[in-house]
Amino acid sequence: MARIILLLAVGLVGYLLWQQYQRQPPELRRKALIRGGFYALLGIILLLVVTGRVHWLLAAATAALPLLKLLFGLALRAWPFLQALRRKNQPPPQQQASAGSNGELSQQEAFQLLGLQPGASRQAIIDAHKRLIQKLHPDRGGNDYLASKLNAARDLLLKLHN
């Protein structure tokens, strides 16, 4: 009799959780499903420990999963700081750019780098440079070489435009 009551209770809880899942917006359903699966796994393992069917070490390892999740979240938050420290230990950008460049930038290369046609206006040059440098700046995940090439292309075209 106790098993039937337990089965009905589990079925009722499952039905209520399913209704709650259906009410969630589609973009949050995956997260809710993962969280629900995690709690279900935790509950099953706890039930197996209580009934003596699983070793307590496995239960302790399962209990450590929320701690691992917390540590992973902290590591993701610290990632930008670790990248900044790594960049700090690299040589200055001028040394990298001069080592990779093998001469002056031609006018045609400058237009190609900025994605412009020859004869573009001064404002078009400035706008193209601004759009590209926002994507390729070293502070936003780009690299120093491309940023220096874009700056050189802008400077060359603006100098020729005057």
Side-chain angles (χ1 to χ4, degrees):
M1 185 67 176
R3 289 183 182 173
I4 293 175
I5 293 173
L6 182 63
L7 186 60
L8 287 174
V10 168
L12 180 63
V13 168
Y15 176 74
L16 292 174
L17 289 174
W18 179 255
Q19 291 298 318
Q20 184 180 2
Y21 173 76
Q22 291 294 324
R23 283 186 296 238
Q24 298 236 345
E27 59 270 3
L28 296 178
R29 285 184 180 177
R30 183 171 186 259
K31 185 178 179 181
L33 193 60
I34 290 172
R35 187 181 320 134
F38 174 74
Y39 286 127
L41 180 65
L42 192 63
I44 290 170
I45 290 177
L46 185 63
L47 182 67
L48 290 173
V49 167
V50 169
T51 59
R53 294 189 174 134
V54 72
H55 197 272
W56 66 271
L57 288 175
L58 179 61
T62 305
L65 287 177
L67 177 64
L68 292 175
K69 179 183 174 189
L70 175 71
L71 291 175
F72 184 69
L74 289 174
L76 285 178
R77 286 186 196 151
W79 184 254
F81 301 114
L82 296 174
Q83 284 183 329
L85 285 175
R86 186 188 62 163
R87 280 193 208 119
K88 188 177 180 181
N89 294 332
Q90 289 180 348
Q94 292 80 15
Q95 292 176 0
Q96 288 181 351
S98 64
S101 62
N102 56 359
E104 288 291 318
L105 192 65
S106 72
Q107 187 177 354
Q108 183 180 3
E109 288 174 331
F111 279 117
Q112 286 178 350
L113 277 172
L114 294 177
L116 298 171
Q117 297 296 326
S121 69
R122 179 180 177 82
Q123 189 59 41
I125 294 168
I126 293 171
D127 290 342
H129 174 267
K130 185 176 182 180
R131 178 177 35 87
L132 289 170
I133 201 70
Q134 285 177 348
K135 294 178 186 175
L136 300 173
H137 195 274
D139 292 343
R140 295 191 176 206
N143 63 42
D144 297 327
Y145 177 75
L146 289 176
S148 66
K149 283 292 196 181
L150 287 174
N151 289 335
R154 178 205 55 201
D155 294 342
L156 174 70
L157 293 178
L158 289 178
K159 188 182 349 173
L160 292 174
H161 199 272
N162 287 334

